[in-house]
Amino acid sequence: MTTNFVKTVCVSAFLFAYSVAAQAAINLADTIPVGPQVKVGKLPNGLTYYIQKNAKPEKKLELRLVVKAGSILEDEDQLGLAHFTEHMAFNGSTNFRKHELVSYLQSIGVKFGADLNAYTSFDETVYILPIPTNRKANVDKGFLVLKDWASGITFNHADIDKERGIVLEELRLGKGASDRLPIGTEPVLANFKYDAIKRFYKDWYRPDLMAVVAVGDIDPKVAEKLIKTHFGPLKNPAKPRPREYAAIPVRSETEAVVITD
C-alpha cells in the first residue's frame, strides 16, 4: 500500500511538472500557425487572401470577405453604421442594382439568410457567400460580388432611409442591459446624415484592412487568379486613418459586476 502511494505521488508530480513545462512553452503572444494546406498570399495593396481546396462537398465553394473594421471604429455620429453598412451591401452596388444580387443568387440555389449572410462585431465585418461551382460563370460572378462589397456599395439615399426602419426594429428586438453594441443607438440610426455612413465606408473599407477567403471545390490557382483580377486594382486612401486597437487593462484583482435588467 505504501509502495503504491509513493508511485501515485511520483506519477502525479511528474504529470504536474510536465503540465507546467508545457504551459511555459506556449507563448500566448505568438501568431497561430496556418496549416500547410492553406495558400496564403498578399496583394501589393495589402489585401490578404487564404485559399484551401476542399473537394467535399462536391461543387461547392464558400467565399468570405473579412473587413478588419467594426463598431469600435465608429465616430460619435456613426454609432451603428458599421452594421448599417453591412445592410447596405445588399441594397445595390456597382454591378448589382437593388434586389438584383439576392435574385441572382437565389436563381443559382443560394438562399438569403440560410446560406448568404453577413455579421458585424466590434472589430470586424464578415460577408459569407457560398457558390455552386458547377458553372464557371457562377464562380466568376461570386468574386465580383465580393469586390462590389469591398469597394462598390452605392448608398442610394432613398434605400438608406428605407433601411432605417429595419435596423431600428433590430435594435428594438435586442433591447436590454447593454451599452454601445454594434447595433448602435436610436438617435443616430434615425437621424444620421448620408455622409456619415459614406465616410465610414471610405475610411475603413480598404484593401490593407481586408482579407478574402476561398475554401471549397476549386483549383487554388484559379481562385488566386480571380482574387488578383478583382482585388488587385483596389487602392488605399492617400492618407488612411490609423487603424487603432483598444487597450485592454490588466486586472490584478478578482472583480464582479451585478446587472439587473
Side-chain angles (χ1 to χ4, degrees):
M1 184 174 180
T2 304
T3 303
N4 289 337
F5 176 76
V6 172
K7 286 182 178 178
T8 301
V9 171
C10 290
V11 170
S12 298
F14 170 78
L15 291 175
F16 176 76
Y18 178 81
S19 175
V20 171
Q23 291 182 24
I26 298 174
N27 184 351
L28 298 180
D30 289 345
T31 302
I32 298 174
V34 178
Q37 75 280 12
V38 181
K39 181 176 182 57
V40 183
K42 180 171 283 193
L43 302 181
N45 58 19
L47 182 138
T48 306
Y49 57 87
Y50 304 85
I51 304 169
Q52 180 177 331
K53 181 174 178 57
N54 185 9
K56 293 184 179 182
E58 294 182 354
K59 302 188 183 304
K60 297 289 184 181
L61 170 67
E62 181 159 303
L63 302 176
R64 294 196 178 198
L65 174 69
V66 182
V67 187
K68 199 185 295 185
S71 62
I72 201 168
L73 297 176
E74 295 166 341
D75 296 328
E76 288 301 308
D77 65 338
Q78 296 174 325
L79 301 183
L81 300 195
H83 171 247
F84 208 111
T85 298
E86 173 209 313
H87 275 240
M88 294 309 298
F90 300 95
N91 275 278
S93 60
T94 303
N95 293 287
F96 300 92
R97 286 179 289 183
K98 187 176 182 180
H99 304 309
E100 197 172 272
L101 171 59
V102 174
S103 296
Y104 163 71
L105 292 172
Q106 288 177 338
S107 74
I108 62 173
V110 179
K111 296 179 181 179
F112 187 59
D115 303 316
L116 170 69
N117 219 321
Y119 68 84
T120 303
S121 68
F122 294 99
D123 277 320
E124 67 177 5
T125 305
V126 179
Y127 298 88
I128 305 164
L129 177 61
I131 289 287
T133 61
N134 55 328
R135 293 181 61 226
K136 180 178 179 295
N138 292 341
V139 177
D140 292 344
K141 192 164 282 191
F143 281 94
L144 180 62
V145 172
L146 253 64
K147 177 193 175 185
D148 268 19
W149 287 338
S151 64
I153 301 177
T154 50
F155 295 105
N156 177 274
H157 292 182
D159 293 336
I160 289 175
D161 290 334
K162 289 179 181 177
E163 202 68 25
R164 290 182 198 266
I166 296 172
V167 179
L168 284 167
E169 179 62 9
E170 287 186 9
L171 171 66
R172 186 188 70 80
L173 291 172
K175 280 185 180 293
S178 55
D179 183 41
R180 297 295 292 257
L181 291 177
I183 191 65
T185 64
E186 187 171 343
V188 171
L189 294 172
N191 302 294
F192 71 84
K193 305 295 184 184
Y194 304 127
D195 178 66
I197 192 168
K198 294 176 184 177
R199 187 175 78 247
F200 182 88
Y201 188 67
K202 181 180 178 182
D203 284 342
W204 305 118
Y205 276 62
R206 60 194 208 220
D208 66 325
L209 295 180
M210 290 180 177
V212 172
V213 182
V215 178
D217 195 4
I218 188 174
D219 182 341
K221 291 182 180 179
V222 172
E224 185 176 38
K225 182 178 180 181
L226 287 167
I227 290 170
K228 289 179 177 179
T229 298
H230 287 293
F231 294 91
L234 301 187
K235 298 185 183 301
N236 293 298
K239 295 181 179 179
R241 286 184 67 172
R243 199 325 185 171
E244 298 176 348
Y245 294 85
I248 301 176
V250 177
R251 302 296 185 188
S252 58
E253 299 178 356
T254 300
E255 299 180 24
V257 176
V258 177
I259 300 174
T260 302
D261 184 5

mmCIF file of all heavy atoms in Angstrom, residues 4-53:
data_model
loop_
_atom_site.group_PDB
_atom_site.id
_atom_site.type_symbol
_atom_site.label_atom_id
_atom_site.label_comp_id
_atom_site.label_asym_id
_atom_site.label_seq_id
_atom_site.Cartn_x
_atom_site.Cartn_y
_atom_site.Cartn_z
ATOM 1 N N ASN A 4 2.461 1.678 -3.403
ATOM 2 C CA ASN A 4 1.511 2.225 -4.378
ATOM 3 C C ASN A 4 1.301 3.715 -4.163
ATOM 4 O O ASN A 4 1.165 4.490 -5.113
ATOM 5 C CB ASN A 4 0.170 1.495 -4.275
ATOM 6 C CG ASN A 4 0.249 0.076 -4.809
ATOM 7 O OD1 ASN A 4 1.134 -0.227 -5.614
ATOM 8 N ND2 ASN A 4 -0.665 -0.785 -4.370
ATOM 9 N N PHE A 5 1.251 4.110 -2.896
ATOM 10 C CA PHE A 5 1.070 5.527 -2.585
ATOM 11 C C PHE A 5 2.243 6.352 -3.116
ATOM 12 O O PHE A 5 2.062 7.417 -3.720
ATOM 13 C CB PHE A 5 0.932 5.709 -1.074
ATOM 14 C CG PHE A 5 0.837 7.152 -0.661
ATOM 15 C CD1 PHE A 5 -0.331 7.873 -0.846
ATOM 16 C CD2 PHE A 5 1.942 7.798 -0.098
ATOM 17 C CE1 PHE A 5 -0.408 9.210 -0.483
ATOM 18 C CE2 PHE A 5 1.872 9.131 0.260
ATOM 19 C CZ PHE A 5 0.690 9.838 0.074
ATOM 20 N N VAL A 6 3.452 5.831 -2.893
ATOM 21 C CA VAL A 6 4.653 6.528 -3.383
ATOM 22 C C VAL A 6 4.630 6.636 -4.905
ATOM 23 O O VAL A 6 4.954 7.680 -5.491
ATOM 24 C CB VAL A 6 5.928 5.803 -2.900
ATOM 25 C CG1 VAL A 6 7.158 6.408 -3.566
ATOM 26 C CG2 VAL A 6 6.050 5.894 -1.386
ATOM 27 N N LYS A 7 4.220 5.530 -5.548
ATOM 28 C CA LYS A 7 4.157 5.545 -7.020
ATOM 29 C C LYS A 7 3.152 6.588 -7.504
ATOM 30 O O LYS A 7 3.395 7.331 -8.461
ATOM 31 C CB LYS A 7 3.757 4.161 -7.546
ATOM 32 C CG LYS A 7 4.854 3.119 -7.450
ATOM 33 C CD LYS A 7 4.373 1.800 -8.034
ATOM 34 C CE LYS A 7 5.482 0.746 -7.991
ATOM 35 N NZ LYS A 7 4.990 -0.550 -8.526
ATOM 36 N N THR A 8 2.017 6.651 -6.831
ATOM 37 C CA THR A 8 0.983 7.610 -7.219
ATOM 38 C C THR A 8 1.479 9.038 -7.078
ATOM 39 O O THR A 8 1.277 9.886 -7.951
ATOM 40 C CB THR A 8 -0.278 7.409 -6.353
ATOM 41 O OG1 THR A 8 -0.755 6.081 -6.518
ATOM 42 C CG2 THR A 8 -1.375 8.393 -6.751
ATOM 43 N N VAL A 9 2.157 9.309 -5.953
ATOM 44 C CA VAL A 9 2.698 10.654 -5.729
ATOM 45 C C VAL A 9 3.730 11.011 -6.792
ATOM 46 O O VAL A 9 3.751 12.117 -7.332
ATOM 47 C CB VAL A 9 3.312 10.758 -4.319
ATOM 48 C CG1 VAL A 9 4.072 12.080 -4.171
ATOM 49 C CG2 VAL A 9 2.228 10.647 -3.255
ATOM 50 N N CYS A 10 4.589 10.050 -7.120
ATOM 51 C CA CYS A 10 5.633 10.297 -8.126
ATOM 52 C C CYS A 10 5.026 10.583 -9.494
ATOM 53 O O CYS A 10 5.449 11.500 -10.202
ATOM 54 C CB CYS A 10 6.576 9.099 -8.203
ATOM 55 S SG CYS A 10 7.625 8.912 -6.757
ATOM 56 N N VAL A 11 4.027 9.773 -9.873
ATOM 57 C CA VAL A 11 3.372 9.974 -11.171
ATOM 58 C C VAL A 11 2.671 11.328 -11.204
ATOM 59 O O VAL A 11 2.748 12.070 -12.186
ATOM 60 C CB VAL A 11 2.366 8.835 -11.448
ATOM 61 C CG1 VAL A 11 1.523 9.171 -12.668
ATOM 62 C CG2 VAL A 11 3.102 7.514 -11.655
ATOM 63 N N SER A 12 1.978 11.678 -10.130
ATOM 64 C CA SER A 12 1.286 12.966 -10.059
ATOM 65 C C SER A 12 2.269 14.122 -10.173
ATOM 66 O O SER A 12 2.022 15.114 -10.870
ATOM 67 C CB SER A 12 0.508 13.070 -8.746
ATOM 68 O OG SER A 12 -0.475 12.064 -8.665
ATOM 69 N N ALA A 13 3.405 13.994 -9.470
ATOM 70 C CA ALA A 13 4.429 15.051 -9.521
ATOM 71 C C ALA A 13 4.985 15.194 -10.926
ATOM 72 O O ALA A 13 5.219 16.314 -11.423
ATOM 73 C CB ALA A 13 5.549 14.728 -8.536
ATOM 74 N N PHE A 14 5.186 14.056 -11.600
ATOM 75 C CA PHE A 14 5.705 14.097 -12.968
ATOM 76 C C PHE A 14 4.715 14.781 -13.904
ATOM 77 O O PHE A 14 5.094 15.630 -14.720
ATOM 78 C CB PHE A 14 5.993 12.671 -13.446
ATOM 79 C CG PHE A 14 6.313 12.587 -14.916
ATOM 80 C CD1 PHE A 14 7.568 12.951 -15.394
ATOM 81 C CD2 PHE A 14 5.356 12.173 -15.822
ATOM 82 C CE1 PHE A 14 7.857 12.897 -16.744
ATOM 83 C CE2 PHE A 14 5.632 12.110 -17.175
ATOM 84 C CZ PHE A 14 6.886 12.468 -17.637
ATOM 85 N N LEU A 15 3.432 14.391 -13.785
ATOM 86 C CA LEU A 15 2.412 14.982 -14.660
ATOM 87 C C LEU A 15 2.282 16.472 -14.411
ATOM 88 O O LEU A 15 2.114 17.275 -15.338
ATOM 89 C CB LEU A 15 1.065 14.292 -14.439
ATOM 90 C CG LEU A 15 0.981 12.834 -14.916
ATOM 91 C CD1 LEU A 15 -0.360 12.227 -14.521
ATOM 92 C CD2 LEU A 15 1.182 12.753 -16.434
ATOM 93 N N PHE A 16 2.374 16.882 -13.135
ATOM 94 C CA PHE A 16 2.292 18.305 -12.809
ATOM 95 C C PHE A 16 3.463 19.058 -13.417
ATOM 96 O O PHE A 16 3.304 20.126 -14.020
ATOM 97 C CB PHE A 16 2.256 18.489 -11.297
ATOM 98 C CG PHE A 16 2.265 19.932 -10.874
ATOM 99 C CD1 PHE A 16 1.116 20.711 -10.974
ATOM 100 C CD2 PHE A 16 3.423 20.533 -10.391
ATOM 101 C CE1 PHE A 16 1.127 22.045 -10.600
ATOM 102 C CE2 PHE A 16 3.445 21.853 -10.009
ATOM 103 C CZ PHE A 16 2.289 22.619 -10.119
ATOM 104 N N ALA A 17 4.661 18.494 -13.270
ATOM 105 C CA ALA A 17 5.857 19.141 -13.820
ATOM 106 C C ALA A 17 5.776 19.240 -15.334
ATOM 107 O O ALA A 17 6.127 20.259 -15.943
ATOM 108 C CB ALA A 17 7.101 18.367 -13.403
ATOM 109 N N TYR A 18 5.254 18.170 -15.959
ATOM 110 C CA TYR A 18 5.123 18.161 -17.423
ATOM 111 C C TYR A 18 4.125 19.220 -17.874
ATOM 112 O O TYR A 18 4.341 19.936 -18.851
ATOM 113 C CB TYR A 18 4.669 16.774 -17.884
ATOM 114 C CG TYR A 18 4.467 16.664 -19.375
ATOM 115 C CD1 TYR A 18 5.552 16.466 -20.235
ATOM 116 C CD2 TYR A 18 3.195 16.780 -19.918
ATOM 117 C CE1 TYR A 18 5.367 16.383 -21.604
ATOM 118 C CE2 TYR A 18 2.999 16.701 -21.282
ATOM 119 C CZ TYR A 18 4.090 16.487 -22.120
ATOM 120 O OH TYR A 18 3.897 16.404 -23.468
ATOM 121 N N SER A 19 3.008 19.320 -17.125
ATOM 122 C CA SER A 19 1.983 20.306 -17.458
ATOM 123 C C SER A 19 2.529 21.723 -17.353
ATOM 124 O O SER A 19 2.298 22.564 -18.216
ATOM 125 C CB SER A 19 0.783 20.131 -16.529
ATOM 126 O OG SER A 19 -0.174 21.138 -16.751
ATOM 127 N N VAL A 20 3.260 21.996 -16.281
ATOM 128 C CA VAL A 20 3.853 23.330 -16.093
ATOM 129 C C VAL A 20 4.839 23.638 -17.206
ATOM 130 O O VAL A 20 4.864 24.742 -17.772
ATOM 131 C CB VAL A 20 4.540 23.424 -14.721
ATOM 132 C CG1 VAL A 20 5.340 24.710 -14.606
ATOM 133 C CG2 VAL A 20 3.501 23.347 -13.605
ATOM 134 N N ALA A 21 5.666 22.652 -17.577
ATOM 135 C CA ALA A 21 6.653 22.859 -18.644
ATOM 136 C C ALA A 21 5.967 23.114 -19.969
ATOM 137 O O ALA A 21 6.393 23.975 -20.764
ATOM 138 C CB ALA A 21 7.565 21.633 -18.740
ATOM 139 N N ALA A 22 4.866 22.386 -20.227
ATOM 140 C CA ALA A 22 4.140 22.558 -21.491
ATOM 141 C C ALA A 22 3.532 23.943 -21.568
ATOM 142 O O ALA A 22 3.584 24.607 -22.615
ATOM 143 C CB ALA A 22 3.060 21.485 -21.621
ATOM 144 N N GLN A 23 2.946 24.412 -20.447
ATOM 145 C CA GLN A 23 2.356 25.746 -20.437
ATOM 146 C C GLN A 23 3.416 26.817 -20.615
ATOM 147 O O GLN A 23 3.204 27.828 -21.270
ATOM 148 C CB GLN A 23 1.586 25.960 -19.138
ATOM 149 C CG GLN A 23 0.326 25.104 -19.034
ATOM 150 C CD GLN A 23 -0.437 25.371 -17.754
ATOM 151 O OE1 GLN A 23 -0.318 26.441 -17.161
ATOM 152 N NE2 GLN A 23 -1.203 24.395 -17.311
ATOM 153 N N ALA A 24 4.577 26.588 -20.009
ATOM 154 C CA ALA A 24 5.661 27.576 -20.119
ATOM 155 C C ALA A 24 6.151 27.683 -21.556
ATOM 156 O O ALA A 24 6.641 28.733 -21.981
ATOM 157 C CB ALA A 24 6.806 27.172 -19.198
ATOM 158 N N ALA A 25 5.998 26.594 -22.328
ATOM 159 C CA ALA A 25 6.481 26.600 -23.709
ATOM 160 C C ALA A 25 5.523 27.323 -24.650
ATOM 161 O O ALA A 25 5.860 27.604 -25.788
ATOM 162 C CB ALA A 25 6.694 25.161 -24.179
ATOM 163 N N ILE A 26 4.289 27.597 -24.179
ATOM 164 C CA ILE A 26 3.295 28.271 -25.015
ATOM 165 C C ILE A 26 3.370 29.775 -24.775
ATOM 166 O O ILE A 26 3.169 30.240 -23.663
ATOM 167 C CB ILE A 26 1.878 27.758 -24.686
ATOM 168 C CG1 ILE A 26 1.765 26.265 -24.982
ATOM 169 C CG2 ILE A 26 0.843 28.533 -25.493
ATOM 170 C CD1 ILE A 26 0.443 25.651 -24.553
ATOM 171 N N ASN A 27 3.655 30.508 -25.824
ATOM 172 C CA ASN A 27 3.667 31.966 -25.740
ATOM 173 C C ASN A 27 2.357 32.473 -26.335
ATOM 174 O O ASN A 27 2.125 32.361 -27.535
ATOM 175 C CB ASN A 27 4.864 32.520 -26.515
ATOM 176 C CG ASN A 27 4.969 34.037 -26.359
ATOM 177 O OD1 ASN A 27 4.065 34.683 -25.826
ATOM 178 N ND2 ASN A 27 6.082 34.591 -26.806
ATOM 179 N N LEU A 28 1.489 32.995 -25.484
ATOM 180 C CA LEU A 28 0.177 33.429 -25.946
ATOM 181 C C LEU A 28 0.251 34.597 -26.918
ATOM 182 O O LEU A 28 -0.743 34.916 -27.579
ATOM 183 C CB LEU A 28 -0.693 33.791 -24.741
ATOM 184 C CG LEU A 28 -0.980 32.645 -23.764
ATOM 185 C CD1 LEU A 28 -1.846 33.138 -22.612
ATOM 186 C CD2 LEU A 28 -1.663 31.482 -24.476
ATOM 187 N N ALA A 29 1.391 35.240 -27.019
ATOM 188 C CA ALA A 29 1.540 36.358 -27.956
ATOM 189 C C ALA A 29 1.902 35.881 -29.367
ATOM 190 O O ALA A 29 1.888 36.661 -30.313
ATOM 191 C CB ALA A 29 2.612 37.321 -27.451
ATOM 192 N N ASP A 30 2.241 34.595 -29.487
ATOM 193 C CA ASP A 30 2.615 34.059 -30.791
ATOM 194 C C ASP A 30 1.420 34.014 -31.725
ATOM 195 O O ASP A 30 0.282 33.792 -31.307
ATOM 196 C CB ASP A 30 3.189 32.639 -30.653
ATOM 197 C CG ASP A 30 4.566 32.633 -30.010
ATOM 198 O OD1 ASP A 30 5.173 33.717 -29.937
ATOM 199 O OD2 ASP A 30 5.017 31.557 -29.583
ATOM 200 N N THR A 31 1.671 34.222 -33.022
ATOM 201 C CA THR A 31 0.629 34.095 -34.029
ATOM 202 C C THR A 31 0.259 32.631 -34.220
ATOM 203 O O THR A 31 1.135 31.761 -34.264
ATOM 204 C CB THR A 31 1.119 34.673 -35.377
ATOM 205 O OG1 THR A 31 1.489 36.043 -35.176
ATOM 206 C CG2 THR A 31 0.032 34.588 -36.433
ATOM 207 N N ILE A 32 -1.039 32.347 -34.306
ATOM 208 C CA ILE A 32 -1.478 30.963 -34.527
ATOM 209 C C ILE A 32 -1.000 30.527 -35.913
ATOM 210 O O ILE A 32 -1.272 31.200 -36.908
ATOM 211 C CB ILE A 32 -3.010 30.856 -34.443
ATOM 212 C CG1 ILE A 32 -3.484 31.254 -33.037
ATOM 213 C CG2 ILE A 32 -3.481 29.433 -34.770
ATOM 214 C CD1 ILE A 32 -4.985 31.313 -32.875
ATOM 215 N N PRO A 33 -0.283 29.421 -35.997
ATOM 216 C CA PRO A 33 0.243 28.998 -37.298
ATOM 217 C C PRO A 33 -0.859 28.574 -38.271
ATOM 218 O O PRO A 33 -1.919 28.096 -37.854
ATOM 219 C CB PRO A 33 1.150 27.809 -36.947
ATOM 220 C CG PRO A 33 0.615 27.301 -35.644
ATOM 221 C CD PRO A 33 0.096 28.498 -34.914
ATOM 222 N N VAL A 34 -0.606 28.775 -39.550
ATOM 223 C CA VAL A 34 -1.548 28.386 -40.603
ATOM 224 C C VAL A 34 -1.133 27.027 -41.144
ATOM 225 O O VAL A 34 0.052 26.773 -41.370
ATOM 226 C CB VAL A 34 -1.557 29.430 -41.744
ATOM 227 C CG1 VAL A 34 -2.494 28.995 -42.870
ATOM 228 C CG2 VAL A 34 -1.971 30.791 -41.195
ATOM 229 N N GLY A 35 -2.096 26.139 -41.327
ATOM 230 C CA GLY A 35 -1.802 24.802 -41.828
ATOM 231 C C GLY A 35 -1.196 24.836 -43.219
ATOM 232 O O GLY A 35 -1.482 25.747 -44.010
ATOM 233 N N PRO A 36 -0.365 23.868 -43.554
ATOM 234 C CA PRO A 36 0.309 23.844 -44.857
ATOM 235 C C PRO A 36 -0.650 23.677 -46.029
ATOM 236 O O PRO A 36 -0.285 23.956 -47.170
ATOM 237 C CB PRO A 36 1.259 22.642 -44.738
ATOM 238 C CG PRO A 36 0.630 21.765 -43.690
ATOM 239 C CD PRO A 36 -0.007 22.701 -42.723
ATOM 240 N N GLN A 37 -1.886 23.241 -45.766
ATOM 241 C CA GLN A 37 -2.853 23.048 -46.838
ATOM 242 C C GLN A 37 -3.487 24.363 -47.305
ATOM 243 O O GLN A 37 -4.182 24.404 -48.316
ATOM 244 C CB GLN A 37 -3.964 22.080 -46.391
ATOM 245 C CG GLN A 37 -4.987 22.664 -45.430
ATOM 246 C CD GLN A 37 -4.521 22.712 -43.983
ATOM 247 O OE1 GLN A 37 -3.349 22.514 -43.692
ATOM 248 N NE2 GLN A 37 -5.446 22.956 -43.071
ATOM 249 N N VAL A 38 -3.228 25.440 -46.553
ATOM 250 C CA VAL A 38 -3.811 26.742 -46.875
ATOM 251 C C VAL A 38 -2.798 27.599 -47.625
ATOM 252 O O VAL A 38 -1.672 27.786 -47.164
ATOM 253 C CB VAL A 38 -4.262 27.480 -45.597
ATOM 254 C CG1 VAL A 38 -4.894 28.831 -45.957
ATOM 255 C CG2 VAL A 38 -5.231 26.631 -44.799
ATOM 256 N N LYS A 39 -3.189 28.097 -48.776
ATOM 257 C CA LYS A 39 -2.326 29.014 -49.538
ATOM 258 C C LYS A 39 -2.614 30.432 -49.071
ATOM 259 O O LYS A 39 -3.742 30.907 -49.169
ATOM 260 C CB LYS A 39 -2.584 28.894 -51.035
ATOM 261 C CG LYS A 39 -1.694 29.808 -51.874
ATOM 262 C CD LYS A 39 -1.901 29.590 -53.355
ATOM 263 C CE LYS A 39 -0.962 30.475 -54.185
ATOM 264 N NZ LYS A 39 0.454 30.263 -53.869
ATOM 265 N N VAL A 40 -1.596 31.095 -48.555
ATOM 266 C CA VAL A 40 -1.747 32.459 -48.051
ATOM 267 C C VAL A 40 -0.931 33.401 -48.924
ATOM 268 O O VAL A 40 0.216 33.109 -49.273
ATOM 269 C CB VAL A 40 -1.264 32.562 -46.587
ATOM 270 C CG1 VAL A 40 -1.495 33.964 -46.051
ATOM 271 C CG2 VAL A 40 -1.978 31.539 -45.710
ATOM 272 N N GLY A 41 -1.528 34.508 -49.299
ATOM 273 C CA GLY A 41 -0.813 35.488 -50.106
ATOM 274 C C GLY A 41 -1.255 36.895 -49.771
ATOM 275 O O GLY A 41 -2.245 37.112 -49.064
ATOM 276 N N LYS A 42 -0.521 37.855 -50.256
ATOM 277 C CA LYS A 42 -0.858 39.263 -50.028
ATOM 278 C C LYS A 42 -0.628 40.039 -51.310
ATOM 279 O O LYS A 42 0.430 39.923 -51.946
ATOM 280 C CB LYS A 42 -0.026 39.850 -48.885
ATOM 281 C CG LYS A 42 -0.339 41.322 -48.592
ATOM 282 C CD LYS A 42 0.328 41.805 -47.321
ATOM 283 C CE LYS A 42 -0.411 41.318 -46.098
ATOM 284 N NZ LYS A 42 0.036 42.018 -44.859
ATOM 285 N N LEU A 43 -1.621 40.828 -51.707
ATOM 286 C CA LEU A 43 -1.506 41.660 -52.901
ATOM 287 C C LEU A 43 -0.681 42.913 -52.582
ATOM 288 O O LEU A 43 -0.531 43.288 -51.411
ATOM 289 C CB LEU A 43 -2.896 42.061 -53.392
ATOM 290 C CG LEU A 43 -3.860 40.916 -53.728
ATOM 291 C CD1 LEU A 43 -5.187 41.479 -54.237
ATOM 292 C CD2 LEU A 43 -3.250 39.984 -54.773
ATOM 293 N N PRO A 44 -0.152 43.576 -53.599
ATOM 294 C CA PRO A 44 0.633 44.801 -53.359
ATOM 295 C C PRO A 44 -0.136 45.872 -52.590
ATOM 296 O O PRO A 44 0.469 46.683 -51.879
ATOM 297 C CB PRO A 44 0.982 45.269 -54.778
ATOM 298 C CG PRO A 44 1.014 44.010 -55.585
ATOM 299 C CD PRO A 44 -0.070 43.161 -55.025
ATOM 300 N N ASN A 45 -1.471 45.892 -52.709
ATOM 301 C CA ASN A 45 -2.262 46.898 -51.999
ATOM 302 C C ASN A 45 -2.531 46.527 -50.540
ATOM 303 O O ASN A 45 -3.190 47.273 -49.810
ATOM 304 C CB ASN A 45 -3.583 47.174 -52.722
ATOM 305 C CG ASN A 45 -4.434 45.913 -52.892
ATOM 306 O OD1 ASN A 45 -4.235 44.915 -52.204
ATOM 307 N ND2 ASN A 45 -5.374 45.954 -53.817
ATOM 308 N N GLY A 46 -2.023 45.361 -50.104
ATOM 309 C CA GLY A 46 -2.150 44.972 -48.708
ATOM 310 C C GLY A 46 -3.239 43.958 -48.414
ATOM 311 O O GLY A 46 -3.312 43.439 -47.300
ATOM 312 N N LEU A 47 -4.093 43.673 -49.383
ATOM 313 C CA LEU A 47 -5.152 42.691 -49.155
ATOM 314 C C LEU A 47 -4.557 41.291 -49.017
ATOM 315 O O LEU A 47 -3.722 40.881 -49.818
ATOM 316 C CB LEU A 47 -6.173 42.718 -50.299
ATOM 317 C CG LEU A 47 -7.364 41.769 -50.149
ATOM 318 C CD1 LEU A 47 -8.655 42.457 -50.574
ATOM 319 C CD2 LEU A 47 -7.174 40.479 -50.953
ATOM 320 N N THR A 48 -4.987 40.565 -47.991
ATOM 321 C CA THR A 48 -4.503 39.209 -47.742
ATOM 322 C C THR A 48 -5.529 38.206 -48.246
ATOM 323 O O THR A 48 -6.739 38.465 -48.179
ATOM 324 C CB THR A 48 -4.273 38.983 -46.235
ATOM 325 O OG1 THR A 48 -3.414 40.011 -45.738
ATOM 326 C CG2 THR A 48 -3.626 37.630 -45.968
ATOM 327 N N TYR A 49 -5.069 37.076 -48.758
ATOM 328 C CA TYR A 49 -6.026 36.050 -49.176
ATOM 329 C C TYR A 49 -5.602 34.681 -48.667
ATOM 330 O O TYR A 49 -4.423 34.388 -48.465
ATOM 331 C CB TYR A 49 -6.203 36.033 -50.699
ATOM 332 C CG TYR A 49 -4.951 35.828 -51.515
ATOM 333 C CD1 TYR A 49 -4.480 34.552 -51.825
ATOM 334 C CD2 TYR A 49 -4.232 36.914 -52.013
ATOM 335 C CE1 TYR A 49 -3.337 34.362 -52.589
ATOM 336 C CE2 TYR A 49 -3.095 36.743 -52.779
ATOM 337 C CZ TYR A 49 -2.657 35.460 -53.067
ATOM 338 O OH TYR A 49 -1.523 35.281 -53.831
ATOM 339 N N TYR A 50 -6.631 33.856 -48.421
ATOM 340 C CA TYR A 50 -6.457 32.491 -47.914
ATOM 341 C C TYR A 50 -7.258 31.545 -48.802
ATOM 342 O O TYR A 50 -8.466 31.745 -48.987
ATOM 343 C CB TYR A 50 -6.961 32.383 -46.471
ATOM 344 C CG TYR A 50 -6.317 33.350 -45.510
ATOM 345 C CD1 TYR A 50 -6.800 34.653 -45.370
ATOM 346 C CD2 TYR A 50 -5.224 32.967 -44.734
ATOM 347 C CE1 TYR A 50 -6.210 35.551 -44.505
ATOM 348 C CE2 TYR A 50 -4.629 33.855 -43.858
ATOM 349 C CZ TYR A 50 -5.120 35.146 -43.744
ATOM 350 O OH TYR A 50 -4.526 36.042 -42.875
ATOM 351 N N ILE A 51 -6.599 30.554 -49.347
ATOM 352 C CA ILE A 51 -7.252 29.626 -50.272
ATOM 353 C C ILE A 51 -6.989 28.195 -49.816
ATOM 354 O O ILE A 51 -5.847 27.835 -49.515
ATOM 355 C CB ILE A 51 -6.725 29.803 -51.711
ATOM 356 C CG1 ILE A 51 -6.903 31.258 -52.178
ATOM 357 C CG2 ILE A 51 -7.417 28.833 -52.674
ATOM 358 C CD1 ILE A 51 -6.175 31.571 -53.475
ATOM 359 N N GLN A 52 -8.038 27.393 -49.778
ATOM 360 C CA GLN A 52 -7.869 25.967 -49.457
ATOM 361 C C GLN A 52 -8.808 25.142 -50.324
ATOM 362 O O GLN A 52 -10.011 25.402 -50.369
ATOM 363 C CB GLN A 52 -8.162 25.673 -47.986
ATOM 364 C CG GLN A 52 -7.999 24.187 -47.645
ATOM 365 C CD GLN A 52 -8.206 23.896 -46.176
ATOM 366 O OE1 GLN A 52 -7.957 24.739 -45.326
ATOM 367 N NE2 GLN A 52 -8.672 22.693 -45.860
ATOM 368 N N LYS A 53 -8.243 24.168 -51.009
ATOM 369 C CA LYS A 53 -9.067 23.250 -51.795
ATOM 370 C C LYS A 53 -9.694 22.231 -50.856
ATOM 371 O O LYS A 53 -9.020 21.617 -50.038
ATOM 372 C CB LYS A 53 -8.242 22.539 -52.871
ATOM 373 C CG LYS A 53 -9.076 21.596 -53.734
ATOM 374 C CD LYS A 53 -8.281 21.023 -54.881
ATOM 375 C CE LYS A 53 -9.113 20.043 -55.717
ATOM 376 N NZ LYS A 53 -10.343 20.664 -56.253
#
